[in-house]
Amino acid sequence: MTTETSPYFGKHGADWWRGAVIYQIYPRSFMDANDDGIGDLQGVIDKLDYIASLNVDAIWLSPFFTSPMKDFGYDVSDYRGVDPMFGTLEDFDRLVEAAHARGLKVTIDQVLSHTSDQHPWFEESRASRDNPRADWYVWADARPDGSPPTNWQSVFGGPAWQWDTRRCQYYLHNFLVEQPDLNFRHPDVVEAILGEVRFWLERGVDGFRLDAVNFCTHGALEDNPPSTLIEEGAIGVRPDNPYGFQRHIHDKTQPENLVFLERLRALLDEYPGTTSVGEVGDDDSLGVMAEYTQGGNRLHMCYSFNLLTETADPHYLHETLSEMEARIGDGWPCWALGNHDVTRLATRWQAEGDQAALRLYLAFLLTQRGSVCLYQGEELGLTEAELTFEQLVDPAGITFWPSYKGRDGCRTPMPWQADARHGGFSGAAPWLPVPDEHLDLAVDRQDADPESLLNATRAFLAFRREQPALVKGAVRYQPVRDEVLCLERTHGDQRLLVALNFSGEARTLPAPASAAALEAAPALVNGRWADGQLTLPPYGIAIARCPAEEELSWDV
């Protein structure tokens, strides 16, 4: 069965991405097929039946390109090559074909704002000030006292400028020193990057997750002003990182970036059915998400760090989602509660071993207006791994230890078999250890348990797929009452009411009298609607249908 003939994509066509659930795969940690301790593309192929069984719509592959791996693939030295540790281009082609045969779209990471310092473009650029690629990266002279051109900070700690003795100039690196920023003000750079994107479109990919997409252009080489408020949720850094001490008005999110995004969208439109989702970390992430997706000529979707914070407070969630709706217009958001950069959801939202809370968070994510990214292992309820300093490999964790242990704790290998060595991930010692506590959550153990979170995830995703209002519908939020978040989703003649109890105590609230339970709802939907009342168990979930034309009142 091809992607085009599968029932789901036949129904949604080129608009498949709108409301899609995209399963994020971190290839290093997903499945190791050749027993070298590192996951690979063949390992992904071997587990495509598992992924399809989740009832997701697409996969997103974190970087597998040729790289010195200073930032584990987000430092690309060849945009068109597969790093040998992951396999070959032929392996990738087989992966795309096998995924499409199972009705799964394939999206891949694209790191456009910067390359590795080992990329041939940078090696040529740094060689002199007058070579053909001299201006392909952001170079600037020192200040008169020899200090960096501006006070800009790197996300990974320290100044965002690195002195280079070959040119006797500084180059900009918003991330690691080994990740120099490309100069998107140079037309040849834009053409070259679009060529790299086209290469993968020609190989049949269905879309791109665009890393740090608002970093592609820089502004005037002037100092950023200080910030009195560190908004961790917006910019994606911790309060102890000096990056958060500035208002980032010159170093990223410049108006010129919109011109590039429109060029990129025009390229994608040459390949009908392809899509893009941009990662945004900004002082005003919601505003950038709206700006980058409005009008139909920029990105298809954006997501930010606003729901990747430490809080599961329904008032904060309500405020964030309501603001997004008020600002996004005809744009389209993408939401995630976890990924390869943040503490595992079960730990971050204090739900370790709490099946009811984890089901609630799943239902919350999957009932919002927008598309969804689901990070590998969330369907198992994996917790953050506790690693020693000696086990760390993430440069961010090594730099900010001990207050921040880095991203390794959410990147440990998938546990496939509870009783197998290394959880069935590899026959060799893996690049990061498989925590003992993850073995009890292994796929084989949960697969055999009809009450497991894994099977609850499968059931809810199958249910959601058949509800147009949940996939593509409009949303309207009610005020939070007694820690219960209520919303309405409407599409055509279908209107659904959703109530989510973020409290560990049962709640009874007034509700529209016409609300009637959905017969096809999966077991995790455990709230009860009756006689104008809604009853929710602790961390309960309720979904009801209601006439689309009725004027509703929740305060009866």
Side-chain angles (χ1 to χ4, degrees), residues 482-498:
D482 294 333
E483 298 183 84
V484 177
L485 177 63
C486 299
L487 58 138
E488 302 169 22
R489 299 293 310 275
T490 307
H491 186 272
D493 60 359
Q494 185 183 44
R495 187 185 205 173
L496 297 181
L497 313 182
V498 180

Side-chain angles (χ1 to χ4, degrees), residues 187-474:
D188 290 349
V189 170
V190 174
E191 292 299 327
I193 283 294
L194 293 176
E196 305 304 273
V197 173
R198 186 183 293 274
F199 173 84
W200 293 102
L201 289 168
E202 289 291 325
R203 296 199 91 85
V205 303
D206 303 293
F208 303 92
R209 181 265 189 184
L210 302 167
D211 183 69
V213 72
N214 57 312
F215 284 79
C216 289
T217 55
H218 66 286
L221 297 185
E222 300 177 7
D223 286 351
N224 283 329
S227 174
T228 58
L229 178 65
I230 299 176
E231 296 188 72
E232 177 193 359
I235 62 176
V237 299
R238 293 171 54 86
D240 52 18
N241 186 341
Y243 186 83
F245 297 179
Q246 296 180 356
R247 291 174 54 214
H248 295 274
I249 64 175
H250 296 303
D251 52 343
K252 62 181 180 181
T253 321
Q254 300 302 300
E256 295 87 348
N257 204 33
L258 297 176
V259 178
F260 168 68
L261 296 182
E262 289 166 6
R263 290 284 309 278
L264 178 63
R265 178 60 179 265
L267 171 59
L268 292 171
D269 286 347
E270 294 179 28
Y271 298 82
T274 59
T275 193
S276 56
V277 52
E279 177 198 42
V280 170
D282 190 74
D283 298 342
D284 179 23
S285 289
L286 298 180
V288 177
M289 286 173 65
E291 185 177 41
Y292 279 17
T293 61
Q294 289 170 343
N297 65 336
R298 295 170 183 168
L299 298 181
H300 298 77
M301 310 172 270
C302 277
Y303 83 90
S304 69
F305 292 83
N306 291 74
L307 297 186
L308 299 174
T309 62
E310 301 290 331
T311 178
D313 174 21
H315 295 278
Y316 168 78
L317 300 175
H318 178 276
E319 178 183 0
T320 299
L321 295 164
S322 298
E323 181 183 352
M324 185 76 271
E325 279 303 304
R327 301 178 69 176
I328 201 166
D330 66 352
W332 192 257
C334 185
W335 300 112
L337 297 183
N339 67 22
H340 63 291
D341 284 332
V342 297
T343 301
R344 282 280 185 185
L345 175 67
T347 300
R348 184 163 32 90
W349 281 12
Q350 300 178 359
E352 294 189 0
D354 191 334
Q355 290 289 307
L358 290 172
R359 283 167 165 76
L360 172 75
Y361 302 150
L362 172 72
F364 163 75
L365 178 64
L366 294 171
T367 54
Q368 302 310 313
R369 177 182 178 269
S371 303
V372 169
C373 287
L374 188 70
Y375 181 44
Q376 65 181 48
E378 285 183 35
E379 75 275 19
L380 305 177
L382 295 187
T383 57
E384 183 78 355
E386 288 296 325
L387 303 175
T388 66
F389 181 78
E390 290 71 26
Q391 292 173 317
L392 296 186
V393 294
D394 179 21
I398 294 169
T399 297
F400 291 104
W401 179 276
S403 62
Y404 175 50
K405 299 178 181 179
R407 300 164 295 178
D408 294 324
C410 67
R411 297 177 175 183
T412 54
M414 277 280 287
W416 295 101
Q417 297 171 280
D419 297 324
R421 188 183 182 205
H422 307 306
F425 165 74
S426 175
W431 72 288
L432 285 174
V434 178
D436 290 341
E437 59 270 22
H438 284 187
L439 298 178
D440 286 339
L441 302 172
V443 170
D444 66 340
R445 191 159 290 180
Q446 294 205 37
D447 196 46
D449 179 5
E451 303 300 318
S452 69
L453 180 65
L454 171 59
N455 283 317
T457 301
R458 287 169 167 155
F460 196 86
L461 283 169
F463 161 75
R464 179 185 182 275
R465 179 175 282 182
E466 299 304 319
Q467 311 303 320
L470 294 183
V471 175
K472 295 188 177 181

Side-chain angles (χ1 to χ4, degrees), residues 46-58:
D46 292 345
K47 295 298 183 182
L48 283 173
D49 285 337
Y50 167 79
I51 297 167
S53 80
L54 298 175
N55 298 308
V56 298
D57 308 310

Side-chain angles (χ1 to χ4, degrees), residues 124-171:
E124 182 174 354
S125 184
R126 79 189 315 180
S128 68
R129 296 193 186 194
D130 57 2
N131 68 78
R133 291 194 171 98
D135 296 328
W136 277 40
Y137 291 80
V138 182
W139 294 94
D141 292 331
R143 298 191 197 199
D145 63 358
S147 60
T150 69
N151 69 346
W152 301 351
Q153 292 286 303
S154 161
V155 173
F156 287 155
W161 296 96
Q162 177 65 27
W163 179 254
D164 187 84
T165 57
R166 298 164 184 81
R167 293 179 49 143
C168 289
Q169 284 183 306
Y170 284 95
Y171 66 83

Side-chain angles (χ1 to χ4, degrees), residues 315 478-486 500-501 507 509-512 534 554-556:
H315 295 278
Q478 298 293 324
V480 175
R481 297 178 296 172
D482 294 333
E483 298 183 84
V484 177
L485 177 63
C486 299
L500 305 163
N501 180 13
R507 293 285 191 255
L509 302 172
L534 166 62
W554 289 74
D555 296 310
V556 292

